[in-house]
Amino acid sequence: MKKNIAVAMGGYSKEAEISLKSGEVVYKHLTKNENYRVYRAQILKNGWTIKTDVGEEIPIDKSNFSVVINGEPIHFDCVFNTIHGTPGEDGLFQGYLQTLEIPQTACDYYQAALTFNKRDCISVLRANGIKTAKNIYINKGDDINPSAIVEYIGLPCFVKANRAGSSYGISKVKHKDDILTALEHSFKEDDEVIIESFLDGTEVSVGVININGNILALPVTEIISENEFFDFEAKYLGKSKEITPATISDAQTKDVKDQAVRIFKLLKLKGLTRSEFIFHNNEPHFLECNACPGLTEASILPQQAKAAGISLQDLFTNAVEVAIENFEI
């Protein structure tokens, strides 16, 4: 019997279009597996549908995440989660599938919510000895004292929306008078903000996956942005150079890989993940963890898998099999 696999893509945030591209890549490579029947599950604000190869959109029954195609009820053995942002990256979709007893490839709902919340994730990791930037947490409606912020954090600094991906709602602030404007920019994405000190050093990204039962750190990618930081343009519009493997020392490579694996285990993550670091004073400082990273051929994690000699078909198939094998109600 072939397994029915739904590739969930889209979401309700500005990242939906990026997620749809990731989902198409996963769909293309999973369909090469003769043991699977693979379906595109588009999870969008205007509805949940299975999109066929001829462009037909068939509504998904949300009561049990099933669909009827040509009179045949289709129930899914696993969901490959490529949704960026809410509801697939913040735990809502994971919790929904858990109640339906359907395995999915990303981490569980609590871990998803934790990694999506930059402030909470940093707080947990810092308590476990992971180095991070100095930071301040601000909520919409709080009294703001730019002078106190600068005195504690310093300049330049980064003002970030707490729960947003793809570098939405982020500003690099060089002058105290620009802090309020930067906060307003972040508040358009989220009512929680994190302000972080500037870390001067090499930025790297480390994919960590569970493959064949082993937690493996992939080759490290060095990120060189043409812009002020690794913003949306740098990530998706070619305004950056991504070098895999990174041009850092063997000792630095081992250090940051060990940190990434430790974070994967500390947070009890699953599936395909990617953590970002900056080497500041020759030590990796954690920036954030992406539990549903981009999976287009040009995305960082697929680049790292290629450098490790892992094909995308093998990478994605392994994620499905691990999710099914390790599923617990």
Side-chain angles (χ1 to χ4, degrees):
M1 289 286 292
K2 290 189 175 184
K3 295 174 183 174
N4 293 324
I5 310 299
V7 180
M9 60 187 84
Y12 302 164
S13 74
K14 290 180 179 178
E15 297 178 85
E17 287 303 315
I18 301 162
S19 172
L20 290 172
K21 292 177 181 178
S22 289
E24 285 294 333
V25 171
V26 174
Y27 174 81
K28 180 180 77 172
H29 287 279
L30 281 184
T31 53
K32 297 175 184 177
N33 189 317
E34 61 184 17
N35 296 315
Y36 295 164
R37 294 199 302 176
V38 188
Y39 301 83
R40 298 179 188 87
Q42 296 195 339
I43 310 301
L44 301 169
K45 280 185 176 179
N46 61 0
W48 293 17
T49 61
I50 295 296
K51 185 176 180 180
T52 68
D53 286 339
V54 296
E56 184 182 4
E57 296 185 0
I58 304 170
I60 292 171
D61 183 347
K62 292 183 182 180
S63 69
N64 61 3
F65 200 72
S66 69
V67 67
V68 177
I69 300 178
N70 296 326
E72 179 190 0
I74 306 294
H75 297 270
F76 295 103
D77 298 289
C78 185
V79 175
F80 197 113
N81 184 0
T82 69
I83 299 173
H84 308 326
T86 191
E89 196 171 357
D90 58 3
L92 297 179
F93 191 58
Q94 289 90 329
Y96 160 78
L97 292 176
Q98 181 80 15
T99 62
L100 296 176
E101 301 181 10
I102 300 174
Q104 56 88 36
T105 57
C107 61
D108 293 335
Y109 62 92
Y110 172 74
Q111 285 75 18
L114 178 62
T115 54
F116 195 66
N117 188 309
K118 296 180 182 71
R119 300 187 336 187
D120 289 356
C121 188
I122 285 170
S123 297
V124 168
L125 293 177
R126 183 187 287 150
N128 282 279
I130 303 294
K131 292 184 180 296
T132 69
K134 185 182 291 188
N135 55 51
I136 291 176
Y137 303 157
I138 293 178
N139 296 330
K140 197 168 189 175
D142 287 351
D143 292 331
I144 310 298
N145 185 336
S147 296
I149 291 171
V150 170
E151 183 178 353
Y152 180 69
I153 294 292
L155 290 173
C157 65
F158 285 96
V159 179
K160 302 179 179 182
N162 186 42
R163 295 166 295 190
S166 295
S167 295
Y168 285 114
I170 299 182
S171 303
K172 184 177 181 180
V173 177
K174 299 179 181 178
H175 306 286
K176 181 183 73 174
D177 293 343
D178 294 332
I179 285 178
L180 293 179
T181 301
L183 284 168
E184 286 305 310
H185 176 63
S186 295
F187 284 138
K188 291 177 183 176
E189 304 297 329
D190 190 16
D191 59 6
E192 297 177 357
V193 167
I194 179 171
I195 302 179
E196 294 183 326
S197 62
F198 174 69
L199 297 174
D200 187 20
T202 302
E203 183 170 354
V204 298
S205 179
V206 189
V208 178
I209 62 175
N210 181 337
I211 187 159
N212 300 323
N214 298 313
I215 308 303
L216 174 69
L218 296 171
V220 179
T221 298
E222 180 178 348
I223 297 166
I224 303 172
S225 176
E226 295 178 15
N227 296 346
E228 285 282 354
F229 60 97
F230 196 44
D231 60 7
F232 184 89
E233 281 191 338
K235 285 183 177 178
Y236 301 112
L237 302 179
K239 296 289 187 177
S240 69
K241 182 186 292 183
E242 297 160 3
I243 304 169
T244 309
T247 59
I248 56 178
S249 70
D250 291 345
Q252 287 176 318
T253 298
K254 182 180 185 306
D255 191 5
V256 78
K257 279 187 168 185
D258 289 347
Q259 290 273 30
V261 169
R262 182 164 180 251
I263 287 167
F264 190 99
K265 292 178 178 178
L266 274 172
L267 299 181
K268 298 181 180 179
L269 299 179
K270 296 179 180 178
L272 312 177
T273 71
R274 205 185 70 231
S275 289
E276 320 297 332
F277 302 85
I278 287 181
F279 275 95
H280 181 65
N281 295 329
N282 203 39
E283 291 186 293
H285 285 58
F286 173 82
L287 297 177
E288 64 180 26
C289 180
N290 191 330
C292 281
L295 295 175
T296 69
E297 269 109 348
S299 296
I300 291 175
L301 193 139
Q303 289 180 43
Q304 296 175 346
K306 182 180 180 181
I310 303 170
S311 71
L312 291 187
Q313 181 181 346
D314 288 345
L315 182 73
F316 300 151
T317 297
N318 177 78
V320 169
E321 295 304 320
V322 168
I324 293 172
E325 182 180 344
N326 295 340
F327 182 69
E328 296 178 359
I329 300 172

